[in-house]
Amino acid sequence: MQTTSKPAKKRTRQQRNQPLDVFFTPKTVAVIGATETTNSVGRTVLWNLVTSPFGGTVYPVNPKRPSVLGVKAYKSISEIPEQVDLAVIVTPPPSIPGIIRECGENGVRGAVVISAGFKEIGPEGAELERQLLKEAQDADIRVIGPNCLGVMSPLSGMNATFATTIARPGSVGFISQSGALCTAVLDWSLKEMVGFSAFVSVGSA
């Protein structure tokens, strides 16, 4: 019996073996809202990523600076010369639905929205969160957050959070809505030498 097969589609970076690989094994990460302001979330997240041994490329996005922490910065994700796998967003809430839309237009498949100021603050924030979700659905982007600590992949060494240290590698995944619980468990695990395969704060989920 003869069979015919359709020509294979050209494999792109977005086509991954597992849908969540974009969060745990990205090759390129953009930090949108990266800054050099001392003790800021944007600075801490960028520092954690550029000092992580995960082997990927990190792009700061800041329209007001040519570089952040010595790394060339871009005015928007549209200007980054390479396909971005994961966007970590730490900008003011009103800007984020539009940023998610722009991420979709540029082929980004995953976003971690660390910024707070959504449904937890009332109706205005809830409307922003609804807009964020709609833009993500329209663009087929998976989102962690908003209002979260971020994501760690201890097995690869990637730290896309604003925590002060990364979890030890291990075989158990940990996920929590509460950033406070995440930091408490992280502190405990470091003292007790407990490791994790993944460490995720989902925030508003």
Side-chain angles (χ1 to χ4, degrees):
M1 181 177 68
Q2 291 184 332
T3 61
T4 58
S5 59
K6 295 180 181 179
K9 292 182 179 179
K10 184 178 179 181
R11 185 175 178 83
T12 63
R13 181 161 292 165
Q14 298 98 299
Q15 295 169 314
R16 296 175 174 272
N17 293 330
Q18 297 294 335
L20 298 183
D21 281 354
V22 69
F23 294 111
F24 302 113
T25 57
K27 301 300 182 186
T28 48
V29 182
V31 181
I32 303 176
T35 178
E36 292 196 357
T37 303
T38 304
N39 297 324
S40 67
V41 174
R43 186 185 196 281
T44 303
V45 170
L46 179 63
W47 176 257
N48 284 346
L49 280 166
V50 298
T51 57
S52 295
F54 77 103
T57 305
V58 181
Y59 293 101
V61 175
N62 184 319
K64 298 180 180 179
R65 296 186 61 91
S67 66
V68 183
L69 298 181
V71 182
K72 177 177 171 58
Y74 295 84
K75 292 183 178 180
S76 71
I77 200 163
S78 302
E79 295 190 4
I80 295 175
E82 187 177 6
Q83 173 67 57
V84 173
D85 292 331
L86 179 66
V88 183
I89 304 173
V90 288
T91 60
S95 68
I96 294 178
I99 289 172
I100 293 292
R101 184 186 315 119
E102 186 179 12
C103 285
E105 293 168 352
N106 287 275
V108 178
R109 297 269 59 87
V112 178
V113 181
I114 291 178
S115 306
F118 291 88
K119 66 183 179 186
E120 76 276 7
I121 68 167
E124 182 179 351
E127 172 58 20
L128 277 176
E129 192 162 324
R130 187 197 65 78
Q131 294 174 20
L132 185 164
L133 179 61
K134 182 180 185 304
E135 295 292 351
Q137 290 173 334
D138 289 347
D140 193 25
I141 294 177
R142 292 177 181 269
V143 175
I144 291 176
N147 188 21
C148 70
L149 180 69
V151 176
M152 295 180 187
S153 180
L155 298 181
S156 68
M158 190 197 73
N159 184 4
T161 75
F162 59 94
T164 55
T165 187
I166 188 170
R168 298 179 184 277
S171 58
V172 177
F174 181 83
I175 183 169
S176 173
Q177 178 273 329
S178 168
L181 180 60
C182 283
T183 55
V185 169
L186 178 60
D187 290 344
W188 168 84
S189 70
L190 295 171
K191 293 176 183 177
E192 299 297 327
M193 304 292 285
V194 174
F196 297 96
S197 58
F199 199 89
V200 182
S201 164
V202 294
S204 293

